Amino acid sequence: MGRARPDVDTALRILRDHAPELSTEMVPAFAASGRVVATPPLAQLPVPRFRASAMDGFALASDFTLRASADDPVHMLVVERYGAAGVSPESLRAGEAARIATGAPVPDGADSVLIEEKAVSTMVGGGRRLSLTTPVPAGSNIRLPGEDVPAGAPLVARGKLLSPAGIGLMVAAGVPEVEVRRWPRVRLVSTGSELAADAASLDHHPARIPDSNGPMLMAALREIGLPYHSSHHAADEANQLEKGLIDQDADILISTGGVSAGDFDLIPGTLEKLGATIHLHASRQTNIVRDASG
Ligand SMILES: Nc1nc2c(c(=O)[nH]1)N[C@H]1C(S)=C(S)[C@@H](COP(=O)(O)OP(=O)(O)OC[C@H]3O[C@@H](n4cnc5c(N)ncnc54)[C@H](O)[C@@H]3O)O[C@H]1N2
Ligand code: MOO
């Protein structure tokens, strides 16, 4: 058992090297926040899914506007051919410009979107006429299919924690479910004969103090989103400690108290008796161990 105090990176590496991998489960992508990725999810759809307008305005063929000038404006006929959701809009004919909304599919025949604010249009006869005094550059305000994420691309690396951004990315790319590690189960053991189980017993025992570490650590576990834990209080007495520390269902055992040099600091000895190997005794306050069962 080394007594040198390792830095945080070293301590984390030792922990990772000895932590057994948890089994995995499939969960819906929308419900995977805070889970650890076991198998990188792959984009089922490209993002954008189709050639999409980045702006509200008019979709048109840039070629048609090449000769536009203040002296000699180019006029186009505005057609209202929105792509209904899931339906590609009809192709544009020469000289037509289509009203288009941000995110809508760009019709065939158009290679550019002129933004609303730069467009000058007037009613002529029964229709709307768009007048251009400068050419519209090819490719303006169009997002290409797969520009953000190509189909098949891995979205989140193995071992990463899924963030809200990761959830949005997976759902945008059509991923229905993702393989993640199951939640680890944590057992929390407050040790110390001086700890009072409840406020009432403090009255009868003037030398006792409340078990504040237990509730604090439970709150910390909840804060990082770990849903499964059990908590236990054990007096500084070998049998009680042994019983308290054994939990076949726990993946992680967190104990508090009993690791320093007092006569009643029995945790390291008890753990070793139970078959644990101490890989890191990081400080007098921190014990990091691995159960013999793996
Ligand atoms: N002519 C102009 N067009 C746009 C301008 C501008 O100044 N002039 N601003 C652009 C900017 S910047 C932004 S930001 C967007 C703002 O768009 P809206 O807030 O009006 O939102 P929508 O047009 O409804 O949608 C935009 C885009 O996002 C997609 N969307 C909407 N909700 C969802 C959702 N729940 N999940 C996934 N995707 C969603 C929608 O389909 C569109 O693709 O306007 C620019 N345009
Ligand atoms: O207003 Mo938009 O917010 O530039 O993405």
Side-chain angles (χ1 to χ4, degrees):
M1 173 162 67
R3 284 278 164 173
R5 203 175 281 227
D7 58 33
V8 170
D9 287 342
T10 307
L12 284 174
R13 185 173 46 71
I14 293 172
L15 272 176
R16 288 202 183 100
D17 286 352
H18 292 96
E21 276 196 334
L22 294 170
S23 58
T24 66
E25 59 184 340
M26 298 301 289
V27 296
F30 67 80
S33 182
R35 308 300 298 269
V36 174
V37 172
T39 303
L42 305 180
Q44 303 298 299
L45 297 173
V47 183
R49 188 177 181 185
F50 41 75
R51 225 164 49 115
S53 179
M55 291 291 199
D56 302 318
F58 297 88
L60 48 79
S62 59
D63 268 2
F64 198 82
T65 70
L66 277 178
R67 277 187 293 276
S69 68
D71 295 337
D72 190 10
V74 165
H75 302 292
M76 303 184 84
L77 174 68
V78 176
V79 292
E80 308 268 353
R81 268 183 218 147
Y82 271 80
V87 181
S88 290
E90 251 176 78
S91 299
L92 292 183
R93 288 183 283 264
E96 288 181 344
R99 287 280 289 123
I100 195 162
T102 304
V106 175
D108 288 344
D111 68 347
S112 228
V113 172
L114 173 69
I115 68 169
E116 190 79 44
E117 296 85 332
K118 288 192 183 163
V120 176
S121 70
T122 46
M123 291 304 291
V124 175
R128 182 167 290 278
R129 196 174 75 166
L130 186 65
S131 302
L132 299 123
T133 52
T134 52
V136 179
S140 309
N141 301 315
I142 290 183
R143 302 167 61 222
L144 299 177
E147 178 177 297
D148 295 340
V149 183
L155 300 173
V156 189
R158 179 185 149 92
K160 291 281 179 211
L161 210 60
L162 282 164
S163 64
I167 305 303
L169 179 62
M170 287 191 294
V171 176
V175 172
E177 48 179 20
V178 56
E179 188 177 16
V180 297
R181 299 283 157 198
R182 70 165 169 78
W183 289 111
R185 285 179 295 265
V186 181
R187 178 163 181 82
L188 193 59
V189 183
S190 299
T191 72
S193 304
E194 76 284 14
L195 301 178
D198 51 55
S201 66
L202 284 172
D203 295 341
H204 308 294
H205 302 278
R208 289 202 179 167
I209 56 166
D211 169 20
S212 51
N213 285 2
M216 177 184 70
L217 289 167
M218 262 196 280
L221 291 172
R222 272 196 295 273
E223 189 171 276
I224 62 171
L226 284 183
Y228 304 116
H229 53 258
S230 63
S231 65
H232 181 81
H233 168 236
D236 297 316
E237 194 265 305
N239 274 344
Q240 271 216 36
L241 279 178
E242 278 181 36
K243 267 198 285 179
L245 294 175
I246 296 173
D247 179 348
Q248 299 300 341
D249 292 333
D251 302 299
I252 298 171
L253 170 68
I254 300 177
S255 66
T256 164
V259 296
S260 49
D263 288 344
F264 298 102
D265 292 332
L266 304 173
I267 290 279
T270 307
L271 286 170
E272 277 173 337
K273 188 177 163 209
L274 290 171
T277 308
I278 296 183
H279 293 281
L280 177 70
H281 191 111
S283 74
R284 286 196 199 92
Q285 287 77 37
T286 315
N287 241 339
I288 299 167
V289 300
R290 179 180 180 219
D291 186 89
S293 62

mmCIF file of all heavy atoms in Angstrom, residues 184-231:
data_model
loop_
_atom_site.group_PDB
_atom_site.id
_atom_site.type_symbol
_atom_site.label_atom_id
_atom_site.label_comp_id
_atom_site.label_asym_id
_atom_site.label_seq_id
_atom_site.Cartn_x
_atom_site.Cartn_y
_atom_site.Cartn_z
ATOM 1 N N PRO A 184 -24.199 2.493 -12.528
ATOM 2 C CA PRO A 184 -23.547 1.787 -11.429
ATOM 3 C C PRO A 184 -24.388 1.917 -10.159
ATOM 4 O O PRO A 184 -25.073 2.921 -9.973
ATOM 5 C CB PRO A 184 -22.211 2.537 -11.261
ATOM 6 C CG PRO A 184 -22.430 3.883 -11.840
ATOM 7 C CD PRO A 184 -23.528 3.755 -12.879
ATOM 8 N N ARG A 185 -24.376 0.878 -9.342
ATOM 9 C CA ARG A 185 -25.071 0.970 -8.049
ATOM 10 C C ARG A 185 -24.036 1.314 -6.976
ATOM 11 O O ARG A 185 -22.961 0.711 -6.925
ATOM 12 C CB ARG A 185 -25.777 -0.351 -7.731
ATOM 13 C CG ARG A 185 -27.041 -0.549 -8.568
ATOM 14 C CD ARG A 185 -27.704 -1.874 -8.236
ATOM 15 N NE ARG A 185 -26.836 -2.976 -8.633
ATOM 16 C CZ ARG A 185 -26.943 -3.615 -9.795
ATOM 17 N NH1 ARG A 185 -27.893 -3.290 -10.646
ATOM 18 N NH2 ARG A 185 -26.106 -4.585 -10.094
ATOM 19 N N VAL A 186 -24.355 2.294 -6.171
ATOM 20 C CA VAL A 186 -23.410 2.817 -5.196
ATOM 21 C C VAL A 186 -23.885 2.469 -3.788
ATOM 22 O O VAL A 186 -25.066 2.616 -3.473
ATOM 23 C CB VAL A 186 -23.302 4.355 -5.322
ATOM 24 C CG1 VAL A 186 -22.280 4.896 -4.319
ATOM 25 C CG2 VAL A 186 -22.919 4.755 -6.745
ATOM 26 N N ARG A 187 -22.982 1.976 -2.972
ATOM 27 C CA ARG A 187 -23.288 1.777 -1.551
ATOM 28 C C ARG A 187 -22.486 2.793 -0.758
ATOM 29 O O ARG A 187 -21.289 2.962 -0.961
ATOM 30 C CB ARG A 187 -22.923 0.374 -1.107
ATOM 31 C CG ARG A 187 -23.188 0.140 0.381
ATOM 32 C CD ARG A 187 -23.203 -1.346 0.658
ATOM 33 N NE ARG A 187 -23.464 -1.694 2.046
ATOM 34 C CZ ARG A 187 -24.667 -1.754 2.585
ATOM 35 N NH1 ARG A 187 -25.723 -1.409 1.871
ATOM 36 N NH2 ARG A 187 -24.835 -2.129 3.844
ATOM 37 N N LEU A 188 -23.185 3.448 0.146
ATOM 38 C CA LEU A 188 -22.588 4.513 0.938
ATOM 39 C C LEU A 188 -22.589 4.051 2.391
ATOM 40 O O LEU A 188 -23.641 3.691 2.927
ATOM 41 C CB LEU A 188 -23.484 5.738 0.772
ATOM 42 C CG LEU A 188 -22.991 7.076 1.216
ATOM 43 C CD1 LEU A 188 -21.714 7.424 0.481
ATOM 44 C CD2 LEU A 188 -24.059 8.114 0.888
ATOM 45 N N VAL A 189 -21.410 4.004 3.012
ATOM 46 C CA VAL A 189 -21.331 3.548 4.408
ATOM 47 C C VAL A 189 -20.690 4.627 5.269
ATOM 48 O O VAL A 189 -19.522 4.980 5.071
ATOM 49 C CB VAL A 189 -20.517 2.232 4.513
ATOM 50 C CG1 VAL A 189 -20.511 1.731 5.956
ATOM 51 C CG2 VAL A 189 -21.098 1.178 3.596
ATOM 52 N N SER A 190 -21.449 5.159 6.210
ATOM 53 C CA SER A 190 -20.900 6.098 7.199
ATOM 54 C C SER A 190 -20.433 5.269 8.374
ATOM 55 O O SER A 190 -21.211 4.494 8.928
ATOM 56 C CB SER A 190 -21.979 7.064 7.692
ATOM 57 O OG SER A 190 -22.481 7.819 6.633
ATOM 58 N N THR A 191 -19.157 5.409 8.712
ATOM 59 C CA THR A 191 -18.658 4.617 9.840
ATOM 60 C C THR A 191 -18.332 5.526 11.017
ATOM 61 O O THR A 191 -17.935 6.677 10.835
ATOM 62 C CB THR A 191 -17.391 3.823 9.461
ATOM 63 O OG1 THR A 191 -16.298 4.741 9.331
ATOM 64 C CG2 THR A 191 -17.583 3.086 8.142
ATOM 65 N N GLY A 192 -18.495 5.006 12.199
ATOM 66 C CA GLY A 192 -18.137 5.753 13.408
ATOM 67 C C GLY A 192 -19.175 5.577 14.493
ATOM 68 O O GLY A 192 -20.355 5.856 14.276
ATOM 69 N N SER A 193 -18.733 5.084 15.655
ATOM 70 C CA SER A 193 -19.656 4.871 16.771
ATOM 71 C C SER A 193 -20.163 6.192 17.328
ATOM 72 O O SER A 193 -21.154 6.225 18.048
ATOM 73 C CB SER A 193 -18.951 4.093 17.888
ATOM 74 O OG SER A 193 -18.445 2.889 17.367
ATOM 75 N N GLU A 194 -19.469 7.280 16.988
ATOM 76 C CA GLU A 194 -19.881 8.590 17.505
ATOM 77 C C GLU A 194 -21.050 9.183 16.717
ATOM 78 O O GLU A 194 -21.599 10.212 17.115
ATOM 79 C CB GLU A 194 -18.684 9.568 17.466
ATOM 80 C CG GLU A 194 -18.319 10.141 16.079
ATOM 81 C CD GLU A 194 -17.584 9.142 15.164
ATOM 82 O OE1 GLU A 194 -17.582 7.941 15.464
ATOM 83 O OE2 GLU A 194 -17.040 9.595 14.133
ATOM 84 N N LEU A 195 -21.407 8.551 15.592
ATOM 85 C CA LEU A 195 -22.453 9.145 14.744
ATOM 86 C C LEU A 195 -23.839 8.778 15.247
ATOM 87 O O LEU A 195 -24.104 7.614 15.558
ATOM 88 C CB LEU A 195 -22.296 8.669 13.300
ATOM 89 C CG LEU A 195 -20.946 9.007 12.656
ATOM 90 C CD1 LEU A 195 -20.891 8.439 11.243
ATOM 91 C CD2 LEU A 195 -20.709 10.517 12.639
ATOM 92 N N ALA A 196 -24.690 9.773 15.327
ATOM 93 C CA ALA A 196 -26.066 9.535 15.764
ATOM 94 C C ALA A 196 -26.925 9.259 14.543
ATOM 95 O O ALA A 196 -26.808 9.945 13.526
ATOM 96 C CB ALA A 196 -26.586 10.753 16.505
ATOM 97 N N ALA A 197 -27.760 8.259 14.660
ATOM 98 C CA ALA A 197 -28.606 7.887 13.522
ATOM 99 C C ALA A 197 -29.668 8.956 13.269
ATOM 100 O O ALA A 197 -30.043 9.209 12.126
ATOM 101 C CB ALA A 197 -29.261 6.539 13.770
ATOM 102 N N ASP A 198 -30.155 9.604 14.335
ATOM 103 C CA ASP A 198 -31.190 10.625 14.171
ATOM 104 C C ASP A 198 -31.044 11.688 15.258
ATOM 105 O O ASP A 198 -30.305 11.509 16.231
ATOM 106 C CB ASP A 198 -32.582 9.980 14.224
ATOM 107 C CG ASP A 198 -32.727 9.095 15.439
ATOM 108 O OD1 ASP A 198 -32.499 9.598 16.559
ATOM 109 O OD2 ASP A 198 -33.037 7.893 15.259
ATOM 110 N N ALA A 199 -31.774 12.764 15.101
ATOM 111 C CA ALA A 199 -31.648 13.895 16.018
ATOM 112 C C ALA A 199 -32.047 13.512 17.440
ATOM 113 O O ALA A 199 -31.423 13.961 18.415
ATOM 114 C CB ALA A 199 -32.511 15.054 15.521
ATOM 115 N N ALA A 200 -33.045 12.641 17.579
ATOM 116 C CA ALA A 200 -33.535 12.285 18.916
ATOM 117 C C ALA A 200 -32.435 11.624 19.749
ATOM 118 O O ALA A 200 -32.289 11.896 20.942
ATOM 119 C CB ALA A 200 -34.733 11.349 18.799
ATOM 120 N N SER A 201 -31.616 10.785 19.119
ATOM 121 C CA SER A 201 -30.607 10.074 19.907
ATOM 122 C C SER A 201 -29.448 10.990 20.319
ATOM 123 O O SER A 201 -28.653 10.619 21.182
ATOM 124 C CB SER A 201 -30.111 8.835 19.159
ATOM 125 O OG SER A 201 -29.426 9.213 18.003
ATOM 126 N N LEU A 202 -29.346 12.163 19.711
ATOM 127 C CA LEU A 202 -28.323 13.134 20.145
ATOM 128 C C LEU A 202 -28.575 13.549 21.592
ATOM 129 O O LEU A 202 -27.638 13.756 22.372
ATOM 130 C CB LEU A 202 -28.346 14.389 19.253
ATOM 131 C CG LEU A 202 -27.733 14.281 17.861
ATOM 132 C CD1 LEU A 202 -28.021 15.547 17.065
ATOM 133 C CD2 LEU A 202 -26.231 14.049 17.948
ATOM 134 N N ASP A 203 -29.873 13.684 21.971
ATOM 135 C CA ASP A 203 -30.234 14.162 23.306
ATOM 136 C C ASP A 203 -29.678 13.254 24.393
ATOM 137 O O ASP A 203 -29.216 13.710 25.430
ATOM 138 C CB ASP A 203 -31.763 14.222 23.452
ATOM 139 C CG ASP A 203 -32.342 15.258 22.498
ATOM 140 O OD1 ASP A 203 -31.558 16.120 22.039
ATOM 141 O OD2 ASP A 203 -33.557 15.193 22.207
ATOM 142 N N HIS A 204 -29.719 11.955 24.152
ATOM 143 C CA HIS A 204 -29.297 11.002 25.186
ATOM 144 C C HIS A 204 -27.795 10.771 25.182
ATOM 145 O O HIS A 204 -27.267 10.136 26.073
ATOM 146 C CB HIS A 204 -30.018 9.668 24.978
ATOM 147 C CG HIS A 204 -31.499 9.825 24.870
ATOM 148 N ND1 HIS A 204 -32.264 10.260 25.928
ATOM 149 C CD2 HIS A 204 -32.347 9.674 23.822
ATOM 150 C CE1 HIS A 204 -33.527 10.336 25.522
ATOM 151 N NE2 HIS A 204 -33.596 10.001 24.250
ATOM 152 N N HIS A 205 -27.116 11.241 24.133
ATOM 153 C CA HIS A 205 -25.678 10.951 24.016
ATOM 154 C C HIS A 205 -24.932 12.237 23.700
ATOM 155 O O HIS A 205 -24.716 12.563 22.537
ATOM 156 C CB HIS A 205 -25.433 9.935 22.899
ATOM 157 C CG HIS A 205 -26.161 8.645 23.087
ATOM 158 N ND1 HIS A 205 -25.702 7.645 23.900
ATOM 159 C CD2 HIS A 205 -27.341 8.206 22.585
ATOM 160 C CE1 HIS A 205 -26.552 6.638 23.886
ATOM 161 N NE2 HIS A 205 -27.571 6.962 23.093
ATOM 162 N N PRO A 206 -24.514 12.957 24.750
ATOM 163 C CA PRO A 206 -23.904 14.274 24.535
ATOM 164 C C PRO A 206 -22.614 14.222 23.705
ATOM 165 O O PRO A 206 -22.209 15.242 23.159
ATOM 166 C CB PRO A 206 -23.636 14.796 25.949
ATOM 167 C CG PRO A 206 -24.012 13.721 26.897
ATOM 168 C CD PRO A 206 -24.695 12.622 26.174
ATOM 169 N N ALA A 207 -21.979 13.064 23.593
ATOM 170 C CA ALA A 207 -20.725 13.010 22.827
ATOM 171 C C ALA A 207 -20.955 12.594 21.374
ATOM 172 O O ALA A 207 -20.003 12.420 20.623
ATOM 173 C CB ALA A 207 -19.745 12.049 23.501
ATOM 174 N N ARG A 208 -22.214 12.408 20.995
ATOM 175 C CA ARG A 208 -22.465 12.004 19.601
ATOM 176 C C ARG A 208 -22.657 13.228 18.700
ATOM 177 O O ARG A 208 -23.002 14.310 19.164
ATOM 178 C CB ARG A 208 -23.699 11.106 19.520
ATOM 179 C CG ARG A 208 -23.388 9.755 20.125
ATOM 180 C CD ARG A 208 -24.301 8.688 19.631
ATOM 181 N NE ARG A 208 -23.916 7.423 20.252
ATOM 182 C CZ ARG A 208 -24.658 6.339 20.222
ATOM 183 N NH1 ARG A 208 -25.827 6.356 19.599
ATOM 184 N NH2 ARG A 208 -24.235 5.244 20.795
ATOM 185 N N ILE A 209 -22.434 13.016 17.434
ATOM 186 C CA ILE A 209 -22.632 14.092 16.446
ATOM 187 C C ILE A 209 -23.488 13.546 15.304
ATOM 188 O O ILE A 209 -23.547 12.325 15.093
ATOM 189 C CB ILE A 209 -21.275 14.606 15.879
ATOM 190 C CG1 ILE A 209 -20.479 13.439 15.265
ATOM 191 C CG2 ILE A 209 -20.469 15.303 16.965
ATOM 192 C CD1 ILE A 209 -19.318 13.907 14.407
ATOM 193 N N PRO A 210 -24.151 14.453 14.566
ATOM 194 C CA PRO A 210 -24.971 13.962 13.446
ATOM 195 C C PRO A 210 -24.093 13.351 12.341
ATOM 196 O O PRO A 210 -22.973 13.800 12.132
ATOM 197 C CB PRO A 210 -25.665 15.227 12.921
ATOM 198 C CG PRO A 210 -25.515 16.242 14.001
ATOM 199 C CD PRO A 210 -24.258 15.914 14.722
ATOM 200 N N ASP A 211 -24.615 12.348 11.642
ATOM 201 C CA ASP A 211 -23.945 11.798 10.451
ATOM 202 C C ASP A 211 -24.213 12.753 9.288
ATOM 203 O O ASP A 211 -25.179 12.604 8.553
ATOM 204 C CB ASP A 211 -24.503 10.399 10.127
ATOM 205 C CG ASP A 211 -24.034 9.919 8.752
ATOM 206 O OD1 ASP A 211 -23.027 10.457 8.238
ATOM 207 O OD2 ASP A 211 -24.671 8.999 8.199
ATOM 208 N N SER A 212 -23.343 13.757 9.137
ATOM 209 C CA SER A 212 -23.576 14.745 8.074
ATOM 210 C C SER A 212 -22.954 14.310 6.755
ATOM 211 O O SER A 212 -23.440 14.658 5.678
ATOM 212 C CB SER A 212 -23.017 16.109 8.494
ATOM 213 O OG SER A 212 -21.680 15.966 8.925
ATOM 214 N N ASN A 213 -21.853 13.520 6.817
ATOM 215 C CA ASN A 213 -21.208 13.101 5.556
ATOM 216 C C ASN A 213 -22.140 12.253 4.693
ATOM 217 O O ASN A 213 -22.148 12.379 3.462
ATOM 218 C CB ASN A 213 -19.945 12.278 5.848
ATOM 219 C CG ASN A 213 -18.785 13.156 6.305
ATOM 220 O OD1 ASN A 213 -18.947 14.366 6.428
ATOM 221 N ND2 ASN A 213 -17.643 12.559 6.550
ATOM 222 N N GLY A 214 -22.917 11.381 5.342
ATOM 223 C CA GLY A 214 -23.800 10.491 4.581
ATOM 224 C C GLY A 214 -24.770 11.263 3.706
ATOM 225 O O GLY A 214 -24.776 11.116 2.477
ATOM 226 N N PRO A 215 -25.613 12.120 4.317
ATOM 227 C CA PRO A 215 -26.548 12.894 3.503
ATOM 228 C C PRO A 215 -25.855 13.797 2.475
ATOM 229 O O PRO A 215 -26.348 13.968 1.356
ATOM 230 C CB PRO A 215 -27.291 13.740 4.542
ATOM 231 C CG PRO A 215 -27.218 12.926 5.804
ATOM 232 C CD PRO A 215 -25.883 12.256 5.773
ATOM 233 N N MET A 216 -24.668 14.335 2.843
ATOM 234 C CA MET A 216 -23.957 15.188 1.882
ATOM 235 C C MET A 216 -23.539 14.376 0.655
ATOM 236 O O MET A 216 -23.720 14.802 -0.492
ATOM 237 C CB MET A 216 -22.726 15.807 2.542
ATOM 238 C CG MET A 216 -21.888 16.645 1.596
ATOM 239 S SD MET A 216 -20.402 17.263 2.378
ATOM 240 C CE MET A 216 -19.452 15.769 2.559
ATOM 241 N N LEU A 217 -22.990 13.180 0.904
ATOM 242 C CA LEU A 217 -22.547 12.355 -0.224
ATOM 243 C C LEU A 217 -23.730 11.871 -1.053
ATOM 244 O O LEU A 217 -23.650 11.787 -2.284
ATOM 245 C CB LEU A 217 -21.711 11.167 0.288
ATOM 246 C CG LEU A 217 -20.325 11.580 0.810
ATOM 247 C CD1 LEU A 217 -19.679 10.443 1.594
ATOM 248 C CD2 LEU A 217 -19.411 12.009 -0.346
ATOM 249 N N MET A 218 -24.859 11.580 -0.378
ATOM 250 C CA MET A 218 -26.049 11.170 -1.134
ATOM 251 C C MET A 218 -26.521 12.289 -2.049
ATOM 252 O O MET A 218 -26.901 12.061 -3.200
ATOM 253 C CB MET A 218 -27.176 10.784 -0.179
ATOM 254 C CG MET A 218 -27.256 9.293 0.020
ATOM 255 S SD MET A 218 -28.820 8.832 0.749
ATOM 256 C CE MET A 218 -28.516 9.222 2.447
ATOM 257 N N ALA A 219 -26.466 13.523 -1.508
ATOM 258 C CA ALA A 219 -26.866 14.670 -2.334
ATOM 259 C C ALA A 219 -25.918 14.820 -3.519
ATOM 260 O O ALA A 219 -26.344 15.117 -4.638
ATOM 261 C CB ALA A 219 -26.868 15.944 -1.485
ATOM 262 N N ALA A 220 -24.616 14.584 -3.284
ATOM 263 C CA ALA A 220 -23.637 14.690 -4.380
ATOM 264 C C ALA A 220 -23.912 13.627 -5.445
ATOM 265 O O ALA A 220 -23.808 13.891 -6.642
ATOM 266 C CB ALA A 220 -22.215 14.550 -3.834
ATOM 267 N N LEU A 221 -24.290 12.420 -5.016
ATOM 268 C CA LEU A 221 -24.607 11.353 -5.981
ATOM 269 C C LEU A 221 -25.819 11.730 -6.815
ATOM 270 O O LEU A 221 -25.856 11.520 -8.028
ATOM 271 C CB LEU A 221 -24.870 10.027 -5.251
ATOM 272 C CG LEU A 221 -23.656 9.381 -4.583
ATOM 273 C CD1 LEU A 221 -24.099 8.186 -3.747
ATOM 274 C CD2 LEU A 221 -22.632 8.950 -5.627
ATOM 275 N N ARG A 222 -26.814 12.300 -6.115
ATOM 276 C CA ARG A 222 -28.013 12.732 -6.866
ATOM 277 C C ARG A 222 -27.648 13.824 -7.843
ATOM 278 O O ARG A 222 -28.134 13.861 -8.973
ATOM 279 C CB ARG A 222 -29.100 13.223 -5.908
ATOM 280 C CG ARG A 222 -30.002 12.099 -5.413
ATOM 281 C CD ARG A 222 -31.284 12.646 -4.800
ATOM 282 N NE ARG A 222 -31.016 13.418 -3.602
ATOM 283 C CZ ARG A 222 -30.924 12.883 -2.383
ATOM 284 N NH1 ARG A 222 -31.115 11.594 -2.203
ATOM 285 N NH2 ARG A 222 -30.645 13.637 -1.340
ATOM 286 N N GLU A 223 -26.750 14.732 -7.401
ATOM 287 C CA GLU A 223 -26.388 15.855 -8.273
ATOM 288 C C GLU A 223 -25.732 15.372 -9.556
ATOM 289 O O GLU A 223 -25.931 15.960 -10.614
ATOM 290 C CB GLU A 223 -25.462 16.815 -7.528
ATOM 291 C CG GLU A 223 -25.220 18.101 -8.282
ATOM 292 C CD GLU A 223 -24.495 19.122 -7.435
ATOM 293 O OE1 GLU A 223 -25.165 19.830 -6.666
ATOM 294 O OE2 GLU A 223 -23.256 19.195 -7.533
ATOM 295 N N ILE A 224 -24.911 14.322 -9.490
ATOM 296 C CA ILE A 224 -24.300 13.821 -10.737
ATOM 297 C C ILE A 224 -25.206 12.803 -11.428
ATOM 298 O O ILE A 224 -24.809 12.175 -12.402
ATOM 299 C CB ILE A 224 -22.871 13.256 -10.526
ATOM 300 C CG1 ILE A 224 -22.878 12.061 -9.569
ATOM 301 C CG2 ILE A 224 -21.924 14.337 -10.032
ATOM 302 C CD1 ILE A 224 -21.537 11.344 -9.493
ATOM 303 N N GLY A 225 -26.406 12.646 -10.926
ATOM 304 C CA GLY A 225 -27.419 11.883 -11.665
ATOM 305 C C GLY A 225 -27.406 10.392 -11.416
ATOM 306 O O GLY A 225 -27.999 9.650 -12.189
ATOM 307 N N LEU A 226 -26.728 9.925 -10.383
ATOM 308 C CA LEU A 226 -26.718 8.480 -10.125
ATOM 309 C C LEU A 226 -27.970 8.086 -9.349
ATOM 310 O O LEU A 226 -28.135 8.455 -8.201
ATOM 311 C CB LEU A 226 -25.470 8.089 -9.327
ATOM 312 C CG LEU A 226 -24.170 8.029 -10.114
ATOM 313 C CD1 LEU A 226 -23.034 7.560 -9.228
ATOM 314 C CD2 LEU A 226 -24.295 7.117 -11.319
ATOM 315 N N PRO A 227 -28.852 7.326 -9.952
ATOM 316 C CA PRO A 227 -30.140 7.071 -9.322
ATOM 317 C C PRO A 227 -30.119 5.956 -8.279
ATOM 318 O O PRO A 227 -30.967 5.913 -7.411
ATOM 319 C CB PRO A 227 -31.040 6.686 -10.494
ATOM 320 C CG PRO A 227 -30.117 6.125 -11.514
ATOM 321 C CD PRO A 227 -28.771 6.743 -11.300
ATOM 322 N N TYR A 228 -29.168 5.016 -8.402
ATOM 323 C CA TYR A 228 -29.258 3.839 -7.543
ATOM 324 C C TYR A 228 -28.191 3.868 -6.465
ATOM 325 O O TYR A 228 -27.009 3.811 -6.747
ATOM 326 C CB TYR A 228 -29.093 2.558 -8.368
ATOM 327 C CG TYR A 228 -30.074 2.473 -9.481
ATOM 328 C CD1 TYR A 228 -29.657 2.486 -10.797
ATOM 329 C CD2 TYR A 228 -31.438 2.427 -9.201
ATOM 330 C CE1 TYR A 228 -30.573 2.429 -11.825
ATOM 331 C CE2 TYR A 228 -32.356 2.373 -10.226
ATOM 332 C CZ TYR A 228 -31.918 2.373 -11.536
ATOM 333 O OH TYR A 228 -32.814 2.331 -12.544
ATOM 334 N N HIS A 229 -28.608 3.958 -5.220
ATOM 335 C CA HIS A 229 -27.642 3.829 -4.140
ATOM 336 C C HIS A 229 -28.354 3.356 -2.887
ATOM 337 O O HIS A 229 -29.560 3.501 -2.730
ATOM 338 C CB HIS A 229 -26.921 5.151 -3.906
ATOM 339 C CG HIS A 229 -27.833 6.304 -3.703
ATOM 340 N ND1 HIS A 229 -28.091 7.218 -4.695
ATOM 341 C CD2 HIS A 229 -28.589 6.678 -2.651
ATOM 342 C CE1 HIS A 229 -28.947 8.104 -4.248
ATOM 343 N NE2 HIS A 229 -29.280 7.808 -3.017
ATOM 344 N N SER A 230 -27.543 2.782 -1.989
ATOM 345 C CA SER A 230 -28.080 2.423 -0.683
ATOM 346 C C SER A 230 -27.149 3.062 0.339
ATOM 347 O O SER A 230 -25.979 3.316 0.056
ATOM 348 C CB SER A 230 -28.105 0.914 -0.511
ATOM 349 O OG SER A 230 -26.783 0.407 -0.555
ATOM 350 N N SER A 231 -27.668 3.348 1.530
ATOM 351 C CA SER A 231 -26.798 3.936 2.541
ATOM 352 C C SER A 231 -26.919 3.153 3.830
ATOM 353 O O SER A 231 -27.910 2.451 4.070
ATOM 354 C CB SER A 231 -27.151 5.404 2.761
ATOM 355 O OG SER A 231 -28.451 5.499 3.290
#
